[in-house]
Amino acid sequence: MYASDASRPLLWQLTLSHYSEKLRWALEHKRIDHRRRTATPGAHIAIALWLSRGAAVTFPVLELGADRIA
């Protein structure tokens, strides 16, 4: 579906988060090929702040090219 690995959507997740699980289910249901990165619990707040440019402190965060949805 995607030309290269870098062009596939990237899901930043916490493994034990039911919100991340729901997003994984939605991506699989829609058959959207994606990559996953798991953040370390505790450090995830700083990562979410960085990814969302200060708009969110929680996961999941979905990267679609240059856009990020938190």
Side-chain angles (χ1 to χ4, degrees):
M1 178 177 191
Y2 292 94
S4 69
D5 195 49
S7 64
R8 293 182 353 205
L10 175 60
L11 171 62
W12 286 85
Q13 67 176 357
L14 290 173
T15 305
L16 300 176
S17 165
H18 64 279
Y19 296 110
S20 294
E21 185 172 7
K22 288 179 182 182
L23 184 52
R24 289 190 301 265
W25 290 347
L27 291 169
E28 289 172 9
H29 176 73
K30 294 292 186 178
R31 294 188 173 125
I32 297 173
D33 188 26
H34 63 282
R35 300 171 292 146
R36 296 179 186 168
R37 297 265 327 250
T38 302
T40 305
H44 73 282
I45 295 171
I47 295 168
L49 282 167
W50 175 71
L51 289 170
S52 68
R53 296 183 181 158
V57 295
T58 59
F59 275 23
V61 175
L62 184 62
E63 283 189 46
L64 300 167
D67 297 325
R68 293 178 177 143
I69 302 169

